[in-house]
PDB file of all heavy atoms in Angstrom:
ATOM      1  N   VAL A   1      -4.700 162.856  16.768  1.00 50.00           N
ATOM      2  CA  VAL A   1      -4.854 163.848  17.816  1.00 50.00           C
ATOM      3  C   VAL A   1      -4.489 163.205  19.155  1.00 50.00           C
ATOM      4  O   VAL A   1      -5.168 162.300  19.618  1.00 50.00           O
ATOM      5  CB  VAL A   1      -6.283 164.390  17.849  1.00 50.00           C
ATOM      6  CG1 VAL A   1      -6.431 165.424  18.949  1.00 50.00           C
ATOM      7  CG2 VAL A   1      -6.664 164.982  16.503  1.00 50.00           C
ATOM      8  N   TRP A   2      -3.377 163.674  19.715  1.00 52.00           N
ATOM      9  CA  TRP A   2      -2.985 163.154  21.009  1.00 52.00           C
ATOM     10  C   TRP A   2      -3.939 163.694  22.059  1.00 52.00           C
ATOM     11  O   TRP A   2      -4.509 164.752  21.928  1.00 52.00           O
ATOM     12  CB  TRP A   2      -1.543 163.539  21.334  1.00 52.00           C
ATOM     13  CG  TRP A   2      -1.402 164.913  21.902  1.00 52.00           C
ATOM     14  CD1 TRP A   2      -1.232 165.255  23.200  1.00 52.00           C
ATOM     15  CD2 TRP A   2      -1.428 166.152  21.170  1.00 52.00           C
ATOM     16  NE1 TRP A   2      -1.136 166.611  23.341  1.00 52.00           N
ATOM     17  CE2 TRP A   2      -1.254 167.181  22.131  1.00 52.00           C
ATOM     18  CE3 TRP A   2      -1.592 166.476  19.830  1.00 52.00           C
ATOM     19  CZ2 TRP A   2      -1.238 168.520  21.746  1.00 52.00           C
ATOM     20  CZ3 TRP A   2      -1.571 167.803  19.461  1.00 52.00           C
ATOM     21  CH2 TRP A   2      -1.400 168.795  20.402  1.00 52.00           C
ATOM     22  N   ASN A   3      -4.098 162.947  23.084  1.00 58.00           N
ATOM     23  CA  ASN A   3      -4.967 163.372  24.174  1.00 58.00           C
ATOM     24  C   ASN A   3      -6.357 163.747  23.671  1.00 58.00           C
ATOM     25  O   ASN A   3      -6.969 164.710  24.114  1.00 58.00           O
ATOM     26  CB  ASN A   3      -4.358 164.549  24.933  1.00 58.00           C
ATOM     27  CG  ASN A   3      -5.027 164.769  26.280  1.00 58.00           C
ATOM     28  OD1 ASN A   3      -5.550 163.845  26.898  1.00 58.00           O
ATOM     29  ND2 ASN A   3      -5.049 166.014  26.726  1.00 58.00           N
ATOM     30  N   SER A   4      -6.845 162.983  22.673  1.00 69.00           N
ATOM     31  CA  SER A   4      -8.156 163.290  22.109  1.00 69.00           C
ATOM     32  C   SER A   4      -9.235 163.139  23.170  1.00 69.00           C
ATOM     33  O   SER A   4      -9.148 162.302  24.055  1.00 69.00           O
ATOM     34  CB  SER A   4      -8.446 162.370  20.919  1.00 69.00           C
ATOM     35  OG  SER A   4      -8.436 161.016  21.318  1.00 69.00           O
ATOM     36  N   LYS A   5     -10.244 163.960  23.058  1.00 82.00           N
ATOM     37  CA  LYS A   5     -11.300 164.007  24.057  1.00 82.00           C
ATOM     38  C   LYS A   5     -12.519 163.240  23.578  1.00 82.00           C
ATOM     39  O   LYS A   5     -12.788 163.137  22.389  1.00 82.00           O
ATOM     40  CB  LYS A   5     -11.654 165.461  24.361  1.00 82.00           C
ATOM     41  CG  LYS A   5     -10.494 166.249  24.974  1.00 82.00           C
ATOM     42  CD  LYS A   5     -10.831 167.697  25.167  1.00 82.00           C
ATOM     43  CE  LYS A   5      -9.697 168.442  25.873  1.00 82.00           C
ATOM     44  NZ  LYS A   5      -8.411 168.347  25.175  1.00 82.00           N
ATOM     45  N   ARG A   6     -13.258 162.716  24.535  1.00 85.00           N
ATOM     46  CA  ARG A   6     -14.459 161.962  24.228  1.00 85.00           C
ATOM     47  C   ARG A   6     -15.581 162.418  25.145  1.00 85.00           C
ATOM     48  O   ARG A   6     -15.394 162.595  26.348  1.00 85.00           O
ATOM     49  CB  ARG A   6     -14.225 160.459  24.374  1.00 85.00           C
ATOM     50  CG  ARG A   6     -15.487 159.621  24.092  1.00 85.00           C
ATOM     51  CD  ARG A   6     -15.176 158.148  24.004  1.00 85.00           C
ATOM     52  NE  ARG A   6     -14.592 157.648  25.249  1.00 85.00           N
ATOM     53  CZ  ARG A   6     -14.414 156.360  25.500  1.00 85.00           C
ATOM     54  NH1 ARG A   6     -14.754 155.462  24.581  1.00 85.00           N
ATOM     55  NH2 ARG A   6     -13.882 155.985  26.645  1.00 85.00           N
ATOM     56  N   ILE A   7     -16.747 162.617  24.550  1.00 90.00           N
ATOM     57  CA  ILE A   7     -17.943 162.987  25.298  1.00 90.00           C
ATOM     58  C   ILE A   7     -18.915 161.813  25.259  1.00 90.00           C
ATOM     59  O   ILE A   7     -19.193 161.260  24.202  1.00 90.00           O
ATOM     60  CB  ILE A   7     -18.603 164.246  24.716  1.00 90.00           C
ATOM     61  CG1 ILE A   7     -17.671 165.456  24.864  1.00 90.00           C
ATOM     62  CG2 ILE A   7     -19.938 164.530  25.396  1.00 90.00           C
ATOM     63  CD1 ILE A   7     -18.204 166.707  24.203  1.00 90.00           C
ATOM     64  N   ILE A   8     -19.434 161.450  26.424  1.00 90.00           N
ATOM     65  CA  ILE A   8     -20.398 160.359  26.539  1.00 90.00           C
ATOM     66  C   ILE A   8     -21.739 160.947  26.958  1.00 90.00           C
ATOM     67  O   ILE A   8     -21.809 161.735  27.905  1.00 90.00           O
ATOM     68  CB  ILE A   8     -19.923 159.309  27.559  1.00 90.00           C
ATOM     69  CG1 ILE A   8     -18.563 158.752  27.138  1.00 90.00           C
ATOM     70  CG2 ILE A   8     -20.937 158.171  27.684  1.00 90.00           C
ATOM     71  CD1 ILE A   8     -17.906 157.913  28.191  1.00 90.00           C
ATOM     72  N   VAL A   9     -22.791 160.570  26.248  1.00 91.00           N
ATOM     73  CA  VAL A   9     -24.126 161.080  26.524  1.00 91.00           C
ATOM     74  C   VAL A   9     -25.075 159.920  26.801  1.00 91.00           C
ATOM     75  O   VAL A   9     -24.719 158.751  26.655  1.00 91.00           O
ATOM     76  CB  VAL A   9     -24.652 161.938  25.354  1.00 91.00           C
ATOM     77  CG1 VAL A   9     -23.787 163.188  25.180  1.00 91.00           C
ATOM     78  CG2 VAL A   9     -24.645 161.130  24.049  1.00 91.00           C
ATOM     79  N   GLU A  10     -26.326 160.270  27.172  1.00 88.00           N
ATOM     80  CA  GLU A  10     -27.285 159.256  27.594  1.00 88.00           C
ATOM     81  C   GLU A  10     -27.957 158.525  26.442  1.00 88.00           C
ATOM     82  O   GLU A  10     -28.317 157.353  26.564  1.00 88.00           O
ATOM     83  CB  GLU A  10     -28.362 159.894  28.473  1.00 88.00           C
ATOM     84  CG  GLU A  10     -27.892 160.365  29.838  1.00 88.00           C
ATOM     85  CD  GLU A  10     -29.055 160.804  30.695  1.00 88.00           C
ATOM     86  OE1 GLU A  10     -30.043 160.042  30.787  1.00 88.00           O
ATOM     87  OE2 GLU A  10     -29.003 161.907  31.267  1.00 88.00           O
ATOM     88  N   ASP A  11     -28.176 159.216  25.310  1.00 86.00           N
ATOM     89  CA  ASP A  11     -28.928 158.601  24.222  1.00 86.00           C
ATOM     90  C   ASP A  11     -28.489 159.165  22.880  1.00 86.00           C
ATOM     91  O   ASP A  11     -27.676 160.090  22.805  1.00 86.00           O
ATOM     92  CB  ASP A  11     -30.438 158.802  24.417  1.00 86.00           C
ATOM     93  CG  ASP A  11     -30.796 160.266  24.665  1.00 86.00           C
ATOM     94  OD1 ASP A  11     -30.392 161.115  23.862  1.00 86.00           O
ATOM     95  OD2 ASP A  11     -31.490 160.548  25.670  1.00 86.00           O
ATOM     96  N   ASP A  12     -29.035 158.615  21.798  1.00 86.00           N
ATOM     97  CA  ASP A  12     -28.615 159.016  20.457  1.00 86.00           C
ATOM     98  C   ASP A  12     -29.077 160.423  20.092  1.00 86.00           C
ATOM     99  O   ASP A  12     -28.437 161.106  19.286  1.00 86.00           O
ATOM    100  CB  ASP A  12     -29.099 158.001  19.417  1.00 86.00           C
ATOM    101  CG  ASP A  12     -30.592 157.756  19.480  1.00 86.00           C
ATOM    102  OD1 ASP A  12     -31.262 158.279  20.401  1.00 86.00           O
ATOM    103  OD2 ASP A  12     -31.106 157.011  18.623  1.00 86.00           O
ATOM    104  N   MET A  13     -30.205 160.899  20.665  1.00 88.00           N
ATOM    105  CA  MET A  13     -30.653 162.258  20.394  1.00 88.00           C
ATOM    106  C   MET A  13     -29.645 163.271  20.949  1.00 88.00           C
ATOM    107  O   MET A  13     -29.266 164.229  20.273  1.00 88.00           O
ATOM    108  CB  MET A  13     -32.032 162.511  21.001  1.00 88.00           C
ATOM    109  CG  MET A  13     -32.539 163.962  20.835  1.00 88.00           C
ATOM    110  SD  MET A  13     -32.778 164.452  19.103  1.00 88.00           S
ATOM    111  CE  MET A  13     -34.332 163.623  18.768  1.00 88.00           C
ATOM    112  N   ALA A  14     -29.206 163.058  22.194  1.00 88.00           N
ATOM    113  CA  ALA A  14     -28.191 163.927  22.779  1.00 88.00           C
ATOM    114  C   ALA A  14     -26.893 163.859  21.982  1.00 88.00           C
ATOM    115  O   ALA A  14     -26.203 164.863  21.799  1.00 88.00           O
ATOM    116  CB  ALA A  14     -27.943 163.534  24.235  1.00 88.00           C
ATOM    117  N   GLN A  15     -26.559 162.674  21.474  1.00 89.00           N
ATOM    118  CA  GLN A  15     -25.366 162.503  20.655  1.00 89.00           C
ATOM    119  C   GLN A  15     -25.443 163.386  19.402  1.00 89.00           C
ATOM    120  O   GLN A  15     -24.481 164.068  19.042  1.00 89.00           O
ATOM    121  CB  GLN A  15     -25.194 161.037  20.271  1.00 89.00           C
ATOM    122  CG  GLN A  15     -23.929 160.754  19.451  1.00 89.00           C
ATOM    123  CD  GLN A  15     -23.869 159.296  18.988  1.00 89.00           C
ATOM    124  OE1 GLN A  15     -24.897 158.687  18.691  1.00 89.00           O
ATOM    125  NE2 GLN A  15     -22.671 158.742  18.941  1.00 89.00           N
ATOM    126  N   SER A  16     -26.600 163.383  18.735  1.00 89.00           N
ATOM    127  CA  SER A  16     -26.767 164.177  17.520  1.00 89.00           C
ATOM    128  C   SER A  16     -26.644 165.666  17.815  1.00 89.00           C
ATOM    129  O   SER A  16     -26.039 166.420  17.057  1.00 89.00           O
ATOM    130  CB  SER A  16     -28.128 163.871  16.888  1.00 89.00           C
ATOM    131  OG  SER A  16     -28.230 162.510  16.519  1.00 89.00           O
ATOM    132  N   ILE A  17     -27.222 166.107  18.938  1.00 90.00           N
ATOM    133  CA  ILE A  17     -27.190 167.523  19.290  1.00 90.00           C
ATOM    134  C   ILE A  17     -25.766 167.973  19.579  1.00 90.00           C
ATOM    135  O   ILE A  17     -25.310 169.008  19.086  1.00 90.00           O
ATOM    136  CB  ILE A  17     -28.108 167.785  20.502  1.00 90.00           C
ATOM    137  CG1 ILE A  17     -29.569 167.573  20.110  1.00 90.00           C
ATOM    138  CG2 ILE A  17     -27.891 169.197  21.043  1.00 90.00           C
ATOM    139  CD1 ILE A  17     -30.525 167.632  21.283  1.00 90.00           C
ATOM    140  N   VAL A  18     -25.040 167.201  20.387  1.00 90.00           N
ATOM    141  CA  VAL A  18     -23.675 167.570  20.745  1.00 90.00           C
ATOM    142  C   VAL A  18     -22.777 167.558  19.511  1.00 90.00           C
ATOM    143  O   VAL A  18     -21.932 168.447  19.332  1.00 90.00           O
ATOM    144  CB  VAL A  18     -23.129 166.635  21.834  1.00 90.00           C
ATOM    145  CG1 VAL A  18     -21.659 166.949  22.117  1.00 90.00           C
ATOM    146  CG2 VAL A  18     -23.944 166.771  23.114  1.00 90.00           C
ATOM    147  N   LYS A  19     -22.951 166.567  18.631  1.00 89.00           N
ATOM    148  CA  LYS A  19     -22.161 166.522  17.396  1.00 89.00           C
ATOM    149  C   LYS A  19     -22.405 167.762  16.539  1.00 89.00           C
ATOM    150  O   LYS A  19     -21.482 168.319  15.938  1.00 89.00           O
ATOM    151  CB  LYS A  19     -22.500 165.261  16.597  1.00 89.00           C
ATOM    152  CG  LYS A  19     -21.793 164.006  17.071  1.00 89.00           C
ATOM    153  CD  LYS A  19     -22.039 162.860  16.109  1.00 89.00           C
ATOM    154  CE  LYS A  19     -21.195 161.648  16.469  1.00 89.00           C
ATOM    155  NZ  LYS A  19     -21.391 160.541  15.497  1.00 89.00           N
ATOM    156  N   ARG A  20     -23.662 168.197  16.482  1.00 88.00           N
ATOM    157  CA  ARG A  20     -23.991 169.377  15.683  1.00 88.00           C
ATOM    158  C   ARG A  20     -23.299 170.626  16.254  1.00 88.00           C
ATOM    159  O   ARG A  20     -22.773 171.456  15.509  1.00 88.00           O
ATOM    160  CB  ARG A  20     -25.499 169.584  15.653  1.00 88.00           C
ATOM    161  CG  ARG A  20     -25.948 170.830  14.871  1.00 88.00           C
ATOM    162  CD  ARG A  20     -25.543 170.694  13.385  1.00 88.00           C
ATOM    163  NE  ARG A  20     -25.931 171.878  12.640  1.00 88.00           N
ATOM    164  CZ  ARG A  20     -27.114 172.024  12.056  1.00 88.00           C
ATOM    165  NH1 ARG A  20     -28.010 171.029  12.130  1.00 88.00           N
ATOM    166  NH2 ARG A  20     -27.403 173.128  11.385  1.00 88.00           N
ATOM    167  N   VAL A  21     -23.275 170.746  17.564  1.00 89.00           N
ATOM    168  CA  VAL A  21     -22.596 171.877  18.196  1.00 89.00           C
ATOM    169  C   VAL A  21     -21.102 171.851  17.887  1.00 89.00           C
ATOM    170  O   VAL A  21     -20.497 172.876  17.566  1.00 89.00           O
ATOM    171  CB  VAL A  21     -22.838 171.873  19.717  1.00 89.00           C
ATOM    172  CG1 VAL A  21     -21.992 172.954  20.386  1.00 89.00           C
ATOM    173  CG2 VAL A  21     -24.310 172.086  20.031  1.00 89.00           C
ATOM    174  N   LEU A  22     -20.484 170.669  17.960  1.00 87.00           N
ATOM    175  CA  LEU A  22     -19.067 170.538  17.664  1.00 87.00           C
ATOM    176  C   LEU A  22     -18.771 170.900  16.217  1.00 87.00           C
ATOM    177  O   LEU A  22     -17.740 171.512  15.915  1.00 87.00           O
ATOM    178  CB  LEU A  22     -18.597 169.110  17.963  1.00 87.00           C
ATOM    179  CG  LEU A  22     -18.611 168.686  19.432  1.00 87.00           C
ATOM    180  CD1 LEU A  22     -18.270 167.208  19.558  1.00 87.00           C
ATOM    181  CD2 LEU A  22     -17.654 169.526  20.262  1.00 87.00           C
ATOM    182  N   GLU A  23     -19.654 170.528  15.311  1.00 85.00           N
ATOM    183  CA  GLU A  23     -19.496 170.899  13.902  1.00 85.00           C
ATOM    184  C   GLU A  23     -19.539 172.413  13.727  1.00 85.00           C
ATOM    185  O   GLU A  23     -18.733 172.985  12.989  1.00 85.00           O
ATOM    186  CB  GLU A  23     -20.572 170.232  13.056  1.00 85.00           C
ATOM    187  CG  GLU A  23     -20.424 168.724  12.907  1.00 85.00           C
ATOM    188  CD  GLU A  23     -21.599 168.102  12.174  1.00 85.00           C
ATOM    189  OE1 GLU A  23     -22.512 168.867  11.768  1.00 85.00           O
ATOM    190  OE2 GLU A  23     -21.630 166.865  12.007  1.00 85.00           O
ATOM    191  N   GLU A  24     -20.491 173.058  14.392  1.00 85.00           N
ATOM    192  CA  GLU A  24     -20.629 174.508  14.287  1.00 85.00           C
ATOM    193  C   GLU A  24     -19.382 175.213  14.807  1.00 85.00           C
ATOM    194  O   GLU A  24     -18.973 176.243  14.270  1.00 85.00           O
ATOM    195  CB  GLU A  24     -21.860 174.979  15.064  1.00 85.00           C
ATOM    196  CG  GLU A  24     -23.197 174.545  14.481  1.00 85.00           C
ATOM    197  CD  GLU A  24     -23.555 175.261  13.215  1.00 85.00           C
ATOM    198  OE1 GLU A  24     -23.061 176.380  13.037  1.00 85.00           O
ATOM    199  OE2 GLU A  24     -24.327 174.712  12.399  1.00 85.00           O
ATOM    200  N   GLU A  25     -18.764 174.663  15.863  1.00 80.00           N
ATOM    201  CA  GLU A  25     -17.577 175.264  16.464  1.00 80.00           C
ATOM    202  C   GLU A  25     -16.291 174.753  15.830  1.00 80.00           C
ATOM    203  O   GLU A  25     -15.198 175.125  16.272  1.00 80.00           O
ATOM    204  CB  GLU A  25     -17.559 174.995  17.969  1.00 80.00           C
ATOM    205  CG  GLU A  25     -18.726 175.598  18.734  1.00 80.00           C
ATOM    206  CD  GLU A  25     -18.737 177.104  18.689  1.00 80.00           C
ATOM    207  OE1 GLU A  25     -17.647 177.712  18.654  1.00 80.00           O
ATOM    208  OE2 GLU A  25     -19.844 177.698  18.698  1.00 80.00           O
ATOM    209  N   GLU A  26     -16.391 173.900  14.803  1.00 76.00           N
ATOM    210  CA  GLU A  26     -15.230 173.329  14.118  1.00 76.00           C
ATOM    211  C   GLU A  26     -14.310 172.571  15.079  1.00 76.00           C
ATOM    212  O   GLU A  26     -13.087 172.629  14.997  1.00 76.00           O
ATOM    213  CB  GLU A  26     -14.444 174.414  13.383  1.00 76.00           C
ATOM    214  CG  GLU A  26     -15.249 175.121  12.302  1.00 76.00           C
ATOM    215  CD  GLU A  26     -14.439 176.148  11.540  1.00 76.00           C
ATOM    216  OE1 GLU A  26     -13.317 176.463  11.982  1.00 76.00           O
ATOM    217  OE2 GLU A  26     -14.926 176.651  10.517  1.00 76.00           O
ATOM    218  N   LEU A  27     -14.909 171.842  16.005  1.00 78.00           N
ATOM    219  CA  LEU A  27     -14.159 171.071  16.986  1.00 78.00           C
ATOM    220  C   LEU A  27     -14.330 169.571  16.809  1.00 78.00           C
ATOM    221  O   LEU A  27     -13.757 168.789  17.569  1.00 78.00           O
ATOM    222  CB  LEU A  27     -14.590 171.463  18.407  1.00 78.00           C
ATOM    223  CG  LEU A  27     -14.299 172.903  18.830  1.00 78.00           C
ATOM    224  CD1 LEU A  27     -14.914 173.187  20.187  1.00 78.00           C
ATOM    225  CD2 LEU A  27     -12.808 173.168  18.856  1.00 78.00           C
ATOM    226  N   GLU A  28     -15.085 169.155  15.812  1.00 76.00           N
ATOM    227  CA  GLU A  28     -15.386 167.741  15.645  1.00 76.00           C
ATOM    228  C   GLU A  28     -14.150 166.861  15.455  1.00 76.00           C
ATOM    229  O   GLU A  28     -14.118 165.735  15.965  1.00 76.00           O
ATOM    230  CB  GLU A  28     -16.355 167.552  14.476  1.00 76.00           C
ATOM    231  CG  GLU A  28     -16.976 166.169  14.449  1.00 76.00           C
ATOM    232  CD  GLU A  28     -17.943 165.972  13.307  1.00 76.00           C
ATOM    233  OE1 GLU A  28     -17.858 166.746  12.335  1.00 76.00           O
ATOM    234  OE2 GLU A  28     -18.778 165.064  13.370  1.00 76.00           O
TER     235      GLU A  28
END
């Protein structure tokens, strides 16, 4: 994936939540 995007969060809990949202939206 060219120009792939990266999200940086404060902690592992926020990481898990954001990953779950991306999975639901099929954007992972």
Side-chain angles (χ1 to χ4, degrees):
V1 180
W2 83 101
N3 196 28
S4 60
K5 297 176 176 57
R6 179 170 60 170
I7 296 175
I8 302 169
V9 296
E10 291 188 49
D11 52 53
D12 54 354
M13 176 63 77
Q15 182 185 35
S16 299
I17 292 172
V18 175
K19 279 188 173 182
R20 178 63 181 271
V21 173
L22 293 174
E23 290 174 1
E24 292 288 335
E25 298 296 327
E26 299 183 349
L27 296 174
E28 194 180 20

